[in-house]
């Protein structure tokens, strides 16, 4: 199924779809495939010689094994990376259970032949063709803040020149536990085209932020720019790479507000884009990971400023 959905992009002109249609990030693949997988798993259990049919508990949880094998297979064949597999595991497992329970209900009330079961396997592809290019672009905003026990000038210096960030300085976050590289450096400097921020992450990741607003010691904002080599091959999955087809970062703004002589409130406003036909799932996941990353940045700047 993963190969089939990946191949749909090559035939999209004949289907009258845009070449940018997110087939692999479609409801047909991400939502329908695990449902069908669970249903076929239970059908095979029912058809096995010597079996009277699965219990409701088996119908709910045996499909998890099939879903796990599917995800391991995608990893071993390099069709998907570890980040995508981790992010999609919850929805794949839950929907595999839904498919298993539905099939068990159908089997207890009617007969299902091999032909019907075989036709069931084509549903994800048919659903995607009927669904069409329902890719939705959605921009989201994250607002987070922290009070730092340091003067604004001290906090400002850490933001515009964050050098030599050690792994132990950045808090343990979910986004890095699933394989996203950690920041190593973020330094602002002047160029003939204006001020830019050069960011480097682990494993050779690098990109720019073009400064769009600067009020010395009080407020600074930049808009990210990614090049084709910003993320070397293997550092990020294609479906979650920043600045890619499905996910992008917009403007990020830092605001420093003096609380008193020795305390500063640091606010971060970050904008990001999610583009898929499964935004009902993709947006909450991106929002959770985005808050997780921004909270990590706030912790980093707070620790550095206070020490």
């Amino acid at each position: 199924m993963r190969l089939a959905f990946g191949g749909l992009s090559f035939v999209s002109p004949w289907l009258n779809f845009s070449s940018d249609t997110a087939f692999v990030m479609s409801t047909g693949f991400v939502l329908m495939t695990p449902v069908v997988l669970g249903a076929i798993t239970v059908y095979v259990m029912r058809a096995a010689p010597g079996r009277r049919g699965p219990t409701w508990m088996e119908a709910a949880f045996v499909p998890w094994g099939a879903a796990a094998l599917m995800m391991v297979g995608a990893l071993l064949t390099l069709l998907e990376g570890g980040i995508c597999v981790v992010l999609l595991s919850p929805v794949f497992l839950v929907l595999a259970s839904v498919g298993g329970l539905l099939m068990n209900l159908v089997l207890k009330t009617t007969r299902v032949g091999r032909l019907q079961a075989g036709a069931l396997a084509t549903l994800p592809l048919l659903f995607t063709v009927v669904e069409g290019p329902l890719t939705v672009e959605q921009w989201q905003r994250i607002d987070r803040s922290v009070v730092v026990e340091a003067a604004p000038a001290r906090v400002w210096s850490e933001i515009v020149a964050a050098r030599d960030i050690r792994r132990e300085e950045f808090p343990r976050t979910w986004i890095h536990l699933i394989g996203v590289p950690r920041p190593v450096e973020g330094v602002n400097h002047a160029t003939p085209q204006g001020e830019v921020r050069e960011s480097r992450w682990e494993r050779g990741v690098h990109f720019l932020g073009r400064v769009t607003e600067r009020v010395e010691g009080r407020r600074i904002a930049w808009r990210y720019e990614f090049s084709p080599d910003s993320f070397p091959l293997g550092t990020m999955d294609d479906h979650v790479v920043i600045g890619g087809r499905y996910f992008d970062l917009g403007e990020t703004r830092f605001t420093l507000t003096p609380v008193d002589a020795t305390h500063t409130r640091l606010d971060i406003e970050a904008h990001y884009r999610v583009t898929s036909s499964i935004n009902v799932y993709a947006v909450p996941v991106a929002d959770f990971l985005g808050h997780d990353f921004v909270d990590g940045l706030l912790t980093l700047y707070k620790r550095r400023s206070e020490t």
Side-chain angles (χ1 to χ4, degrees), residues 1-2 5 26-39 70 92 95-96 121 123-125 128:
M1 294 304 295
R2 173 62 180 82
F5 274 92
S26 67
T27 54
F29 180 71
V30 175
L31 304 184
M32 290 298 297
T33 296
V35 171
V36 171
L37 180 68
M70 176 184 178
F92 265 62
L95 292 180
L123 272 183
L125 285 168
T128 298

Side-chain angles (χ1 to χ4, degrees), residues 16-275:
N16 200 31
F17 293 164
S18 166
S19 59
D20 291 331
T21 302
F23 291 113
V24 177
M25 291 285 283
S26 67
T27 54
F29 180 71
V30 175
L31 304 184
M32 290 298 297
T33 296
V35 171
V36 171
L37 180 68
I40 291 178
T41 301
V42 170
Y43 174 79
V44 171
M45 292 172 66
R46 177 66 174 262
R51 287 193 61 95
R52 293 190 302 176
T55 65
W56 288 107
M57 189 67 69
E58 289 174 329
F61 293 108
V62 171
W64 284 23
L69 287 172
M70 176 184 178
M71 291 183 283
V72 170
L75 278 173
L76 294 178
T77 56
L78 303 181
L79 289 172
E80 293 293 345
I83 297 175
C84 280
V85 169
V86 170
L87 294 181
L88 290 178
S89 291
V91 70
F92 265 62
L93 295 176
V94 170
L95 292 180
S97 291
V98 170
L101 291 170
L102 288 175
M103 176 58 79
N104 205 36
L105 177 63
V106 170
L107 289 173
K108 289 182 183 299
T109 57
T110 187
R111 292 179 59 86
V112 177
R114 291 176 180 267
L115 182 62
Q116 291 94 330
L120 184 66
T122 66
L123 272 183
L125 285 168
L126 293 176
F127 189 88
T128 298
V129 172
V130 173
E131 173 194 42
L134 295 180
T135 301
V136 177
E137 179 178 293
Q138 192 167 337
W139 280 93
Q140 298 289 111
R141 171 174 163 172
I142 295 172
D143 291 284
R144 306 295 277 177
S145 66
V146 69
V147 174
V148 183
E149 191 176 349
R154 174 64 180 159
V155 182
W156 178 266
S157 66
E158 293 295 343
I159 293 173
V160 298
R163 304 178 187 274
D164 303 319
I165 302 172
R166 302 185 304 275
R167 288 180 66 90
E168 60 269 21
E169 286 186 284
F170 208 94
R172 183 171 296 181
T173 57
W174 286 106
I175 194 169
H176 297 132
L177 287 176
I178 66 174
V180 176
R182 286 177 170 81
V184 173
E185 184 176 86
V187 179
N188 289 44
H189 61 86
T191 72
Q193 293 76 35
E195 183 180 0
V196 299
R197 179 180 182 83
E198 291 191 6
S199 295
R200 292 193 304 110
W201 289 4
E202 295 173 328
R203 304 205 294 273
V205 174
H206 61 94
F207 50 90
L208 295 179
R210 197 157 301 277
V211 174
T212 56
E213 180 183 4
R214 178 182 178 125
V215 178
E216 187 68 26
R218 290 292 181 267
R219 186 167 58 253
I220 189 167
W222 54 75
R223 183 171 296 276
Y224 292 100
E225 296 180 358
F226 301 93
S227 60
D229 65 342
S230 285
F231 293 86
L233 188 64
T235 55
M236 295 275 283
D237 297 357
D238 289 343
H239 305 129
V240 293
V241 66
I242 305 172
R245 180 176 171 184
Y246 305 108
F247 183 71
D248 196 10
L249 292 179
E251 188 176 74
T252 296
R253 182 184 307 276
F254 292 79
T255 303
L256 286 70
T257 306
V259 177
D260 54 37
T262 58
H263 291 81
T264 303
R265 172 174 165 155
L266 172 60
D267 293 271
I268 297 183
E269 174 190 319
H271 299 261
Y272 68 91
R273 169 185 59 81
V274 177
T275 305

